[in-house]
Amino acid sequence: METITTTYTVTGMTCEHCVAAVSTEVGQVDGVNAVEVELVPEGTSLVRVSGQAPADRDAVSAAVDEAGYVLTGVVA
């Protein structure tokens, strides 16, 4: 089965602790198989979320918020 990856932009992340927090929270969203973070300290980081189907954006946003950061958009 094909894996679908969606890339989100997230602000507020500054270090590997931030990466771990976001990865843990987003990884708990239903249907998410993998989370990869491209950290841009003091900038806009990229969070790639993979699964068998697109993850629910609201659920991903809530997970990022729970980790203490802000999902600002989706990369087209």
Side-chain angles (χ1 to χ4, degrees), residues 14-21 39:
T14 59
C15 64
E16 289 303 316
H17 172 77
C18 303
V19 171
L39 178 65

Side-chain angles (χ1 to χ4, degrees), residues 10-58:
V10 176
T11 59
M13 299 172 67
T14 59
C15 64
E16 289 303 316
H17 172 77
C18 303
V19 171
V22 168
S23 296
T24 298
E25 291 295 334
V26 174
Q28 294 175 8
V29 172
D30 284 343
V32 172
N33 295 339
V35 179
E36 179 186 328
V37 178
E38 184 178 322
L39 178 65
V40 179
E42 307 299 331
T44 302
S45 298
L46 299 177
V47 178
R48 292 180 187 85
V49 178
S50 301
Q52 299 304 317
D56 180 74
R57 180 184 171 152
D58 290 339

